[in-house]
Amino acid sequence: AIPGIRKEQVEAIEIPLPPILKQKEITTYLQAVNEELQEMIRVQKSNAQMLRQLEQSFLAQVFRGEL
């Protein structure tokens, strides 16, 4: 609770919302962006794993005197 603010005052605050169609458009857009982001995260994790494997392979070749 915040001193000096009553529950009724907070309940009386009107928060404007866009029309339902616009809300659905926003939701669809955000879902698409989220899917793209999840794919980017998946690719980044895969790339990081491949980089670790490449690094290990490179170091193994160096220690064997192949490079």
Side-chain angles (χ1 to χ4, degrees), residues 17 24 43 52 56 65:
L17 296 174
K24 289 180 181 182
V43 168
R52 283 190 297 273
Q56 290 172 359

Side-chain angles (χ1 to χ4, degrees), residues 14-48:
E14 291 187 29
I15 300 174
L17 296 174
I20 193 74
L21 183 59
K22 189 65 174 176
Q23 290 179 40
K24 289 180 181 182
E25 289 174 10
I26 292 168
T27 300
T28 300
Y29 171 76
L30 291 176
Q31 287 172 338
V33 168
N34 185 53
E35 289 173 12
E36 288 181 32
L37 178 59
Q38 295 304 316
E39 176 63 12
M40 289 177 183
I41 290 169
R42 187 194 65 73
V43 168
Q44 191 278 331
K45 286 180 180 179
S46 176
N47 288 344

